[in-house]
Amino acid sequence: MKFATILPFISAVSASCLHGTSLMPRAADGTVDINSFNYTGLGGPLNWYGLDKSANSACASGKHQSPINIETDNISYASASSVHFHVPKVDSAKFENLGSGLEVVLTNGTLLAGNTSYTLAQFHFHTPSEHRINEEHYPMEVHFVFESAASQIAVVGFVFELSQFGYSTPLFDSVFAHLDDIATPGTYTMTDALDFSGLTQHLNSHGIYQYTGSLTTPPCSENVAWFLSTEPIVVNVQSYNAVKHVLKFNARYTQNSLGQANLLEVAASNFN
Ligand SMILES: *[C@@H]1O[C@H](CO)[C@@H](O)[C@H](O)[C@H]1NC(C)=O
Ligand SMILES: *[C@@H]1O[C@H](CO)[C@@H](O)[C@H](O)[C@H]1NC(C)=O
Ligand SMILES: *[C@@H]1O[C@H](CO)[C@@H](O)[C@H](O)[C@H]1NC(C)=O
Ligand SMILES: *[C@@H]1O[C@H](CO)[C@@H](O)[C@H](O)[C@H]1NC(C)=O
Ligand SMILES: [Zn+2]
């Protein structure tokens, strides 16, 4: 069994090269505005409505809010052939720490789903995962946010699972390579080259959960078309710990089942 013990060791050594960059972080390339909402105290999800009652009303009264617990025997599945996710390779992209999350700004990308064509706006990360699958949560989740010409929103998401063998998803290694530069909220850096072909292949070769929900951050707007890969992608422990160190905690609490009363409204009425 010697081989089995050596394999993770080798992976851990190569992963530590990534970690090595944290010893001498570069400076951030510049600053960005941070979001006013967050995940702590009165800035957190229980009070997003309170932060701006007119803009964020859906957060407190919407009946199709995200994230949800996905029950795999009570959810729709999109056929991979009906969801066309295409993001061309880029040499570099802006990677921002918004305080409320980490976001890559990238507008070269398209999604064709149903009969609607969408354009990529950005992708960002949550830790821990926002969606639960049969009640189970995951260490991390990535959301690719698309918008149509008529301002309809679609999100393609993937949950991450930790790899016990040190495996990772190369696309996200490239995103996280300069993570340490943006440890401070309100800063940005530039990523290495990003190649989306492996992720696209992953999406195309597994099932896709599909439902209509909302943005998981203010203003919690509804009619968002969600597409979540049924198969987690991998992240190694070193990258996950590095991301968690910067991202800390940014998952909205699990919302009520689709079509059911908003949990905040129910709780408020019980309190009265
Ligand atoms: C969270 O947001 C609230 C409201 O904007 C703010 O008062 C608070 O300082 C923020 N807390 C953190 C830890 O960012
Ligand atoms: C986005 O696509 C356009 C048109 O194909 C191209 O000119 C541009 O260089 C691309 N941007 C990036 C960041 O690759
Ligand atoms: C797409 O459009 C065609 C033709 O208008 C229609 O028959 C089909 O039902 C539409 N598909 C979806 C998913 O809306
Ligand atoms: C199935 O999902 C619907 C919402 O999509 C929900 O109203 C219903 O309660 C769920 N059924 C079960 C058995 O959980
Ligand atoms: Zn998100």
Side-chain angles (χ1 to χ4, degrees), residues 121-162:
Q122 40 94 351
F123 63 94
H124 62 262
F125 302 88
H126 296 270
T127 179
S129 73
E130 295 209 296
H131 286 95
R132 288 198 248 161
I133 300 175
N134 296 329
E135 301 291 349
E136 183 180 357
H137 86 283
Y138 289 80
M140 187 156 72
E141 183 169 337
V142 61
H143 291 155
F144 286 79
V145 181
F146 293 85
E147 193 169 0
S148 76
S151 300
Q152 293 163 280
I153 293 171
V155 184
V156 176
F158 301 83
V159 293
F160 289 77
E161 191 71 291
L162 296 177

Side-chain angles (χ1 to χ4, degrees), residues 89-92 106 108:
K89 208 172 186 165
V90 289
D91 290 339
S92 183
L106 191 60
N108 275 22

Side-chain angles (χ1 to χ4, degrees), residues 34-44 47 51 99 185:
I34 64 169
N35 283 318
S36 56
F37 69 89
N38 54 44
Y39 295 84
T40 301
L42 290 179
N47 196 44
L51 291 179

